[in-house]
Amino acid sequence: MKLYNTMSRRLEEFTPAGDEVKIYVCGVTPYDRAHLGHAMSYIIFDIVRRYLEFHGFKVKHVQNYTDIDDRIISRANSLGQPFDQLAARYMEEFDEEIRELNITPAHVFPRATQEIPTIIEMIEGLVAKGNAYRANGDVYFRVRSKDDYGKLSGRDVDSMRAGARVEPGESKEDPADFALWKGAKEGEPWWESPWGPGRPGWHIECSAMSYRYLGETLDIHGGGQDLIFPHHENEIAQSESYTGTQPFVRYWLHNGWLTFGEEKMSKSLGNIIAIREGLDKYGADGLRLFVLTSHYRSPLSYSEEALESGKRAAERLRLAATLPGGNGPPADVSVESYRQRFVEAMDDDLNTPAALAALFDLARDVNRARDEGRGIGEAQGTLRELAGVLGLTLQEPEAAMGAAPFIDLVVQLRNDLREAKQFEQADRVRAGLAELGITLEDGPKGTRWRRG
RNA sequence: GGCGACGUAGCCAAGUGGUUAAGGCAGGGGUCUGCAAAACCCUGAUCGGGGGUUCGAAUCCCCCCGUCGCCUCCA
């Protein structure tokens, strides 16, 4: 299979370096609710993993939590609660959302605050090698000590200097240098270190955690495109300087943006839709379909219409895959050619829109065969299997299934009315259920109901 | 200013040199149904604009118009 490598800026045939594929995905900073942009990114990397496993690769997947950083501290302070309590709350929420989104959990979910020894060890190594220096209570990475700095994002240090940010009180040698360790200010959480009390800077935690759990070289490192610079650029600088091994990462994968209208969906623009809201409104499969109808490297724009479309499309696949077929001769559906289309599409840098198109065509074949009363078990099995590779559950939303016996009872009463030709009464029952979000379908084998 | 992405039917979105330009949603017509729903059948675009290369371009080159992202908050 081919993957687009941000480092080389082209498609490359993927082969892991060892027996298992080592994947590190940059996780969230739990300072607020996660939004659909995050969901998009983690759905995409879930597919990377599922598809690698589909191909028979053994995968080790690590996804971190950066549970200490400026935003967490400032939000916690403004809410008047301990930073770790705030982070814990959002990590819990995120875990639950991941579960509901049917995203395969990483094998390891390390947290920055629990990796302080590794982080300190790495910083010490960088200082010892001359890649980092202390300044007041801080430690900075010396960008000029790595001559290929900027190779991932296509920047050179000189052209960056103008825009580099220097906070008051910082004493960097070069404006482009970045913090590995930040000395604690009044009222900030801190850990003891050789440079005095402080906390890790942004970037170093990922280098430390990926090193600890996956080693010097990762097969795949992923995240949103906004992480290319500075985050991933800096990770490369730290990791390669520390280990002396190149490359730090063999394949860099970055997903495009979720936009809201014409703008990027982001906290700072205040145009976010929370994952929770999306799940409640469109369901896990609906959200996933929405994400997958676009290629992962392209920007995807949010709109209610597009999400609604995803929800309807998910329902179409679900019904095709689950409604029973007839007793007739097995359908004449060449599942192998569909499987081949699917694999070809996915092998081509995870072309999920094309892969989905194959699934929808297969669904049409299934439906057609069902209409003819033929056996469709095999075709449905293939549909379910391939949809599963994309992480679709094809399950009905689980909410409110406790009402099922009552709905069954009402449906039965309505059918009594229909048998008595009391259609007006029967239609009123149907309309009433529709108001409650229950759709009825009268078929030759009786009445079926579903949510939506 | 530097680097990058994008503009395909009402909406979302594949395709990047060569059969009739995928698929989804929405819409219209039909079949089925007591009526619906679901499903099935039929139905829509020459690819931002202009020029060029080529036997042949949505797909390559040039110019123009428009949109967006990154340049140390960010999946």
Side-chain angles (χ1 to χ4, degrees):
Chain A
M1 71 186 281
K2 288 183 163 51
L3 292 174
Y4 182 87
N5 189 343
T6 307
M7 183 64 85
S8 66
R9 303 188 184 206
R10 53 198 210 196
L11 293 178
E12 293 178 17
E13 186 63 35
F14 176 79
T15 45
D19 296 340
E20 60 179 10
V21 181
K22 298 175 178 179
I23 302 182
Y24 186 91
V25 178
C26 280
V28 293
T29 299
Y31 74 107
D32 203 346
R33 301 169 80 190
H35 57 73
L36 291 185
H38 299 111
M40 171 190 183
S41 194
Y42 298 111
I43 285 172
I44 286 163
F45 287 101
D46 180 44
I47 297 222
V48 170
R49 171 169 168 188
R50 285 175 187 270
Y51 194 62
L52 287 167
E53 287 175 342
F54 171 78
H55 265 314
F57 291 114
K58 192 163 187 278
V59 174
K60 183 165 183 192
H61 171 198
V62 177
Q63 182 173 313
N64 68 288
Y65 280 111
T66 299
D67 59 345
I68 176 67
D69 107 321
D70 294 351
R71 290 168 296 163
I72 293 176
I73 294 171
S74 80
R75 186 111 201 281
N77 286 343
S78 72
L79 293 174
Q81 61 177 274
F83 85 97
D84 49 353
Q85 209 175 79
L86 179 88
R89 175 179 141 208
Y90 288 116
M91 284 189 283
E92 259 173 55
E93 261 184 36
F94 187 73
D95 286 344
E96 172 60 17
E97 286 161 358
I98 286 290
R99 191 188 69 74
E100 288 184 42
L101 286 167
N102 197 34
I103 289 169
T104 314
H107 299 97
V108 188
F109 280 104
R111 296 165 45 181
T113 56
Q114 298 180 343
E115 306 292 339
I116 300 292
T118 310
I119 290 170
I120 288 176
E121 197 177 304
M122 192 170 256
I123 297 174
E124 282 189 301
L126 289 169
V127 171
K129 287 185 163 188
N131 295 106
Y133 57 94
R134 11 184 348 178
N136 301 328
D138 304 331
V139 180
Y140 294 100
F141 186 90
R142 183 177 283 126
V143 161
R144 289 186 183 279
S145 70
K146 184 109 169 50
D147 51 20
D148 59 0
Y149 183 80
K151 63 184 173 183
L152 179 68
S153 56
R155 289 156 218 272
D156 67 276
V157 178
D158 293 313
S159 68
M160 281 173 19
R161 305 185 66 170
R165 196 178 285 183
V166 181
E167 301 293 334
E170 288 185 335
S171 35
K172 296 178 179 178
E173 288 177 5
D174 189 301
D177 290 348
F178 57 91
L180 297 172
W181 188 261
K182 295 182 168 186
K185 299 195 185 79
E186 189 59 36
E188 289 184 349
W190 55 271
W191 287 263
E192 205 45 75
S193 85
W195 318 283
R199 62 193 161 91
W202 184 42
H203 314 308
I204 189 66
E205 83 285 10
C206 282
S207 283
M209 292 186 268
S210 61
Y211 175 67
R212 175 164 177 200
Y213 294 101
L214 294 171
E216 296 187 349
T217 295
L218 319 179
D219 289 300
I220 292 173
H221 189 138
Q225 273 169 4
D226 62 329
L227 294 181
I228 294 173
F229 189 87
H231 189 54
H232 289 161
E233 197 67 74
N234 291 350
E235 280 185 50
I236 293 172
Q238 295 160 346
S239 294
E240 292 186 352
S241 297
Y242 177 73
T243 66
T245 299
Q246 293 216 36
F248 165 47
V249 170
R250 302 176 61 242
Y251 300 84
W252 283 98
L253 267 51
H254 292 98
N255 63 274
W257 284 119
L258 179 64
T259 63
F260 189 103
E262 298 294 293
E263 290 175 310
K264 174 172 136 187
M265 180 177 287
S266 78
K267 203 64 62 80
S268 47
L269 293 171
N271 58 2
I272 63 162
I273 306 290
I275 292 179
R276 180 81 271 146
E277 188 184 329
L279 272 171
D280 291 346
K281 238 168 150 174
Y282 308 106
D285 282 358
L287 289 181
R288 201 172 271 255
L289 257 305
F290 164 68
V291 169
L292 300 186
T293 48
S294 158
H295 184 82
Y296 77 90
R297 284 192 283 116
S298 302
L300 174 64
S301 53
Y302 166 88
S303 71
E304 292 214 13
E305 200 185 357
L307 265 303
E308 195 60 43
S309 159
K311 182 182 179 183
R312 299 297 305 272
E315 190 68 354
R316 176 172 169 78
L317 286 182
R318 183 178 76 78
L319 294 175
T322 56
L323 293 183
N327 305 320
D332 185 23
V333 176
S334 71
V335 294
E336 277 318 306
S337 71
Y338 282 114
R339 181 188 300 275
Q340 201 179 327
R341 256 178 81 187
F342 178 88
V343 169
E344 271 172 20
M346 292 296 284
D347 277 352
D348 182 19
D349 195 28
L350 306 172
N351 189 338
T352 53
L356 278 176
L359 295 193
F360 281 107
D361 284 343
L362 172 56
R364 170 166 291 111
D365 270 0
V366 167
N367 288 332
R368 199 181 285 147
R370 180 190 300 107
D371 283 357
E372 291 167 1
R374 309 181 70 168
I376 52 177
E378 189 198 7
Q380 285 184 313
T382 301
L383 180 55
R384 277 196 297 267
E385 182 204 342
L386 299 180
V389 174
L390 297 180
L392 294 165
T393 66
L394 301 182
Q395 301 282 311
E396 238 182 311
E398 58 195 64
M401 275 306 143
F406 301 97
I407 296 171
D408 287 338
L409 179 63
V410 173
V411 167
Q412 198 171 35
L413 291 171
R414 169 175 169 273
N415 279 338
D416 291 343
L417 290 170
R418 289 175 70 220
E419 255 173 61
K421 303 273 187 225
Q422 305 213 26
F423 294 122
E424 215 167 290
Q425 295 293 323
D427 287 352
R428 277 177 56 195
V429 172
R430 182 172 61 192
L433 285 172
E435 298 241 330
L436 300 172
I438 305 295
T439 302
L440 299 191
E441 294 174 4
D442 299 321
K445 292 175 205 155
T447 300
R448 196 181 293 292
W449 64 266
R450 62 191 168 86
R451 304 185 59 79

